[in-house]
Amino acid sequence: MIKAVIFDLDNTLVDFMKFKRQSVEAAVDAMIDAGLKIDKKKAEEIIYEIYEEKGIEYQRIFDEFLEKVLGEIDYKILSAGIVAYRRVKEATLSIYPHVRQTLTELLKMNMKLGVVSDAPRLQAWTRIAQAGLLHYFDVVVTFDDTRVLKPAAEPFMFALNKLGLEPKEAIMVGDWAERDIVGAKQIGMITVFARYGDVFGTQNSGADYEINDIYELVDIVKNLNKKGG
Amino acid sequence: MIKAVIFDLDNTLVDFMKFKRQSVEAAVDAMIDAGLKIDKKKAEEIIYEIYEEKGIEYQRIFDEFLEKVLGEIDYKILSAGIVAYRRVKEATLSIYPHVRQTLTELLKMNMKLGVVSDAPRLQAWTRIAQAGLLHYFDVVVTFDDTRVLKPAAEPFMFALNKLGLEPKEAIMVGDWAERDIVGAKQIGMITVFARYGDVFGTQNSGADYEINDIYELVDIVKNLNKKGG
């Protein structure tokens, strides 16, 4: 009997890479408009190199970018970039199609809902809040709660313990096969690969199910609970 | 001969207190909506007490507020507050009527334009950028540039030196008599009190001029330069 559905956050519920691309592009445009002399493509390349090195959540991204290309921080250019980034971020952080509909439907089926994310606590929570999903979840586990990344068992077990459930009573949905699927599977959860969020061109997800639209979860849960009784 | 007009930023160009009040109110509403049990007025009082103690730019305001009222940080509540605060901030940070018109007119009169603010560097710059005023100013002096607050001479002199001007060649416009007017006057600048931004109920500003609308500056400069030749 399935009693809970646990989701990865970024690229599973929230279209994180789309928002990141659009925000970075807006920031680069604004910095060039504020006087930065640089080729746009080159600027984006350097920014993604810094993200690559420091992590995609790195907060001093534009400071470091300017130090790299100018040798110092020009605050006129920096502030133009930050403000443009934030504006687009506020406007575009978007959930995938049918997310709200799916979560609502799962609630009506008495499912508990959770998030298990490798993102830092504050960033994960604010993205959930910004996406307007704050009220759906019974448990939200972020990197800071266990200090271990998926596929380790800890974050998944942390969520299950909070819900008082066994692994086999819960579904894990995620876009990252090596973290979400491998981790959930090895402790005995049912796994669903969110192919719509896959940015790696994953061939074999190894998941029990694959979905191209999050709403497919509703039928998966229905069928599992019909079978399982 | 007047060659430059230097502005204070908050409550002179940007309606800072309005944005702060509206953002805090939105944050409190959102935190209550996310499950915080507290009287709204009481919550706002506590928040302003923390601002009073830590400064109006304090970034951990909601963390500390929650620690105070809950004994811990509930991230569901915190993230709801932060997201609501940011949303209103992005939407409402507004310049006073006729600011853009006035700055444009002063530029056409060949005036150099500057900002001298006691705000921290990044906050001052991002507010200027957010208000869409980034391109107007020849010099922006923030707290971090001199590490001394107005009414000390340093921040004013820093701006004048950058512009290569004598104090008597520049007008200082500000809403805070004891800082903006006292400071500028004692080094020999012409002073203009922005009465429309006064939050203290100032009786005697001590300024050479007082204005209720920023556009009055245009006539003040015209008249001074007619007289002065």
Side-chain angles (χ1 to χ4, degrees), chain A residues 33 75 87 121 130 135, chain B residues 33 75 87 121 130 135:
Chain A
D33 182 56
Y75 279 85
R87 227 164 236 166
R121 180 145 54 195
Q130 212 186 316
H135 293 275
Chain B
D33 181 57
Y75 279 84
R87 228 164 237 166
R121 179 146 53 196
Q130 212 184 316
H135 293 274

Side-chain angles (χ1 to χ4, degrees), chain A residues 3-225:
Chain A
K3 295 180 179 168
V5 182
I6 314 277
F7 296 87
D8 171 55
L9 180 59
D10 299 318
N11 300 324
T12 298
L13 293 173
V14 162
D15 197 344
F16 183 70
M17 288 317 294
K18 178 175 152 199
F19 125 78
K20 189 57 100 174
R21 266 197 318 275
Q22 293 181 344
S23 305
V24 166
E25 187 180 353
V28 169
D29 282 342
M31 288 190 286
I32 290 172
D33 182 56
L36 183 64
K37 305 261 175 290
I38 195 168
D39 175 72
K40 187 173 162 180
K41 284 283 156 251
K42 181 73 195 159
E44 291 182 0
E45 255 175 60
I46 297 172
I47 288 169
Y48 285 107
E49 275 167 27
I50 301 171
Y51 274 135
E52 189 71 32
E53 189 195 336
K54 297 291 174 75
I56 194 75
E57 308 276 357
Y58 189 51
Q59 299 292 304
R60 287 189 74 257
I61 183 76
F62 300 122
D63 306 62
E64 190 161 327
F65 165 70
L66 290 177
E67 279 164 1
K68 210 156 206 163
V69 299
L70 295 179
E72 58 169 6
I73 296 175
D74 178 324
Y75 279 85
K76 179 176 175 185
I77 294 172
L78 178 68
S79 61
I82 290 176
V83 166
Y85 181 94
R86 285 188 193 154
R87 227 164 236 166
V88 171
K89 180 179 150 184
E90 289 299 321
T92 64
L93 178 60
S94 59
I95 52 181
Y96 286 100
H98 312 131
V99 162
R100 215 178 299 272
Q101 196 180 342
T102 304
L103 296 178
T104 307
E105 201 62 39
L106 292 173
L107 281 187
K108 289 188 197 162
M109 294 158 72
N110 270 322
M111 291 298 115
K112 299 276 181 198
L113 300 178
V115 166
V116 173
S117 168
D118 283 343
R121 180 145 54 195
L122 188 61
Q123 279 80 351
W125 277 101
T126 52
R127 282 206 281 277
I128 293 170
Q130 212 186 316
L133 300 179
L134 215 45
H135 293 275
Y136 282 107
F137 300 108
D138 300 285
V139 60
V140 173
V141 181
T142 68
F143 176 70
D144 300 82
D145 293 304
T146 64
R147 303 241 142 226
V148 198
L149 295 172
K150 299 177 273 185
E154 285 88 335
F156 303 101
M157 289 310 299
F158 191 95
L160 292 169
N161 288 338
K162 283 261 185 183
L163 297 172
L165 296 177
E166 299 293 315
K168 67 176 175 2
E169 295 176 305
I171 291 177
M172 177 69 206
V173 188
D175 68 294
W176 196 339
E178 286 157 39
R179 291 202 176 173
D180 299 314
I181 305 305
V182 167
K185 201 166 191 174
Q186 78 194 354
I187 62 165
M189 295 174 78
I190 309 283
T191 52
V192 176
F193 181 62
R195 183 154 293 280
Y196 58 85
D198 178 28
V199 290
F200 302 110
T202 305
Q203 296 294 320
N204 289 311
S205 70
D208 299 312
Y209 300 87
E210 296 206 352
I211 56 178
N212 289 306
D213 183 309
I214 197 170
Y215 195 75
E216 296 173 44
L217 281 172
V218 172
D219 274 345
I220 291 174
V221 173
K222 270 186 194 154
N223 285 329
L224 281 168
N225 281 353

Side-chain angles (χ1 to χ4, degrees), chain B residues 34-171:
Chain B
L36 183 64
K37 304 260 176 289
I38 195 168
D39 175 71
K40 185 174 163 178
K41 283 282 156 252
K42 181 73 195 158
E44 291 182 1
E45 257 175 58
I46 296 171
I47 287 169
Y48 285 108
E49 277 167 28
I50 300 171
Y51 274 135
E52 188 73 32
E53 188 195 336
K54 298 291 175 73
I56 194 78
E57 307 277 358
Y58 189 52
Q59 299 291 306
R60 286 190 72 257
I61 183 75
F62 300 122
D63 304 64
E64 188 160 328
F65 165 71
L66 290 178
E67 279 164 0
K68 209 156 207 162
V69 300
L70 295 179
E72 58 167 8
I73 296 174
D74 178 324
Y75 279 84
K76 180 177 175 182
I77 294 172
L78 177 68
S79 62
I82 289 175
V83 167
Y85 180 94
R86 283 187 194 157
R87 228 164 237 166
V88 171
K89 181 179 149 185
E90 289 298 320
T92 65
L93 179 61
S94 57
I95 52 182
Y96 286 101
H98 312 133
V99 162
R100 214 178 299 271
Q101 198 179 340
T102 304
L103 296 178
T104 307
E105 202 61 40
L106 292 172
L107 281 187
K108 289 188 198 164
M109 295 159 72
N110 271 321
M111 291 297 116
K112 299 275 181 198
L113 301 178
V115 166
V116 172
S117 168
D118 282 343
R121 179 146 53 196
L122 188 61
Q123 280 80 354
W125 277 101
T126 52
R127 283 204 281 278
I128 293 170
Q130 212 184 316
L133 301 178
L134 215 45
H135 293 274
Y136 283 106
F137 301 108
D138 301 286
V139 59
V140 172
V141 181
T142 68
F143 176 69
D144 300 82
D145 293 304
T146 64
R147 303 240 142 226
V148 198
L149 294 173
K150 297 176 277 186
E154 285 88 337
F156 303 101
M157 289 311 299
F158 191 95
L160 292 168
N161 288 339
K162 283 260 185 186
L163 296 172
L165 296 177
E166 298 294 314
K168 66 175 177 1
E169 296 177 303
I171 291 178

